Amino acid sequence: QVTLKESGPGILQPSQTLSLTCTFSGFSLSTYGMGVGWIRQPSGKGLEWLANIWWDDDKYYNPSLKNRLTISKDTSNNQAFLKITNVDTADTATYYCARIGGGHWFAYWGQGTLVTVSS
Amino acid sequence: DIVMTQTPSSQAVSAGEKVTMSCKSSQSLLYSENKKNYLAWYQQKPGQSPKLLISWASTRESGVPDRFIGSGSGTDFTLTISSVQAEDLAVYYCEQYYDTPFTFGSGTKLEIK
C-alpha cells in the first residue's frame, strides 16, 4: 500500500525559506522508475506543479518559480524534500507530494500540508 | 508552456445522466514515436487530495469505476461519466505531462442536481 504524508512549518514569514518533507511508504525511491513530485494548490484554486525527482536523481523544476526551488531525496529514510526560498504571500497554499507513475503523472497523493506566509 | 483549457468551468447534472467535459491543449500531446497522448485526468472531491482517474488519455486506473471514460487525441480530450452518481461530486482536472512545465487545466466542477 502506497502512502505519502507531507510535513511543513505551517506558517512562516515573507523572505524566509520554506522546507517541506514528504515521508512515504509502499515504494522506494531507489527502485527503477519511481519518482516523487510536489504540487501546490492555493485555497479554492487550481493545481500548480512545482518539481519532480526520480530514482536516478534526475530532477525537473517549474521555471516559473525562478530558481527558488530545490528538490532532494533521502532514499534510506523514504523521504523527499522541497525547499522554496524567499517566500511571499503568493506561496500560501496546500502543498502535496505525490508518487509519480510511469510518466510524469501523479498516481498517489498525500493529504497535503497547509502553508501560510504572513507577516 | 502548454496551456490546458477546460470547459465548462462548472456543470450540474442529475444522478444517472451522462456528462462530458472537455480539455484542450495549446499544442499536441501525442508523441509520434509511441503514439501515446501524454494526458491524465484527476478527481478532487471536497476537502480531499486529487485522485488519479486516467493516464495516457484513456487508460483507467485500477479500481476506477468503468463509468469514467477518457478519450481524445492530439489537442482535444474528453472525460465522460456515463451515468453520474452522487459520489462523483468533485472538481475534475486534466494534466499534460508531455513537456515541462507540467501543467493542469483550471478544472471542471461537477455538481449534482
Side-chain angles (χ1 to χ4, degrees):
Chain A
Q1 180 188 3
V2 174
T3 65
L4 305 100
K5 186 172 184 179
E6 307 86 350
S7 57
I11 187 165
L12 69 167
Q13 295 184 337
S15 81
Q16 290 186 319
T17 294
L18 169 60
S19 295
L20 297 166
T21 299
C22 175
T23 303
F24 54 85
S25 63
F27 68 99
S28 172
L29 260 180
S30 61
T31 300
Y32 178 91
M34 289 294 110
V36 167
W38 288 92
I39 308 97
R40 69 181 179 182
Q41 184 174 38
S43 179
K45 297 190 177 180
L47 300 163
E48 179 182 27
W49 169 72
L50 299 175
N52 290 351
I53 189 167
W54 290 94
W55 84 100
D56 59 357
D57 213 37
D58 200 9
K59 300 167 186 173
Y60 295 79
Y61 292 104
N62 191 328
S64 72
L65 275 82
K66 294 183 179 134
N67 302 318
R68 296 170 54 212
L69 301 177
T70 303
I71 193 169
S72 60
K73 60 184 172 65
D74 179 349
T75 303
S76 300
N77 289 304
N78 283 343
Q79 291 181 317
F81 310 97
L82 184 71
K83 289 188 190 296
I84 306 178
T85 60
N86 193 26
V87 297
D88 181 74
T89 54
D91 296 309
T92 294
T94 295
Y95 286 77
Y96 297 100
C97 65
R99 199 197 84 176
I100 305 172
H104 291 274
W105 70 82
F106 304 101
Y108 299 90
W109 294 63
Q111 64 189 27
T113 185
L114 177 61
V115 174
T116 302
V117 180
S118 174
S119 56
Chain B
D1 297 6
I2 297 176
V3 177
M4 306 300 290
T5 301
Q6 288 189 248
T7 56
S9 57
S10 66
Q11 60 184 120
V13 298
S14 300
E17 289 186 0
K18 175 182 174 180
V19 65
T20 61
M21 56 193 76
S22 171
C23 174
K24 295 184 187 292
S25 57
S26 60
Q27 65 185 74
S28 178
L29 306 183
L30 178 62
Y31 188 45
S32 56
E33 291 197 11
N34 60 12
K35 301 292 189 289
K36 288 189 171 186
N37 286 283
Y38 284 55
L39 181 106
W41 287 97
Y42 301 87
Q43 174 193 62
Q44 186 175 32
K45 294 183 177 181
Q48 296 186 16
S49 306
K51 172 189 173 184
L52 177 67
L53 295 177
I54 288 168
S55 59
W56 301 122
S58 61
T59 302
R60 202 181 299 115
E61 285 298 293
S62 174
V64 172
D66 59 8
R67 64 179 181 272
F68 291 92
I69 303 162
S71 62
S73 185
T75 61
D76 291 350
F77 301 91
T78 299
L79 177 67
T80 300
I81 308 175
S82 60
S83 177
V84 170
Q85 306 299 304
E87 63 262 31
D88 299 336
L89 167 72
V91 179
Y92 293 85
Y93 294 97
C94 58
E95 179 223 352
Q96 67 80 18
Y97 48 95
Y98 184 90
D99 194 14
T100 57
F102 309 117
T103 48
F104 294 86
S106 56
T108 291
K109 184 176 183 180
L110 182 64
E111 298 170 316
I112 312 298
K113 290 179 185 175

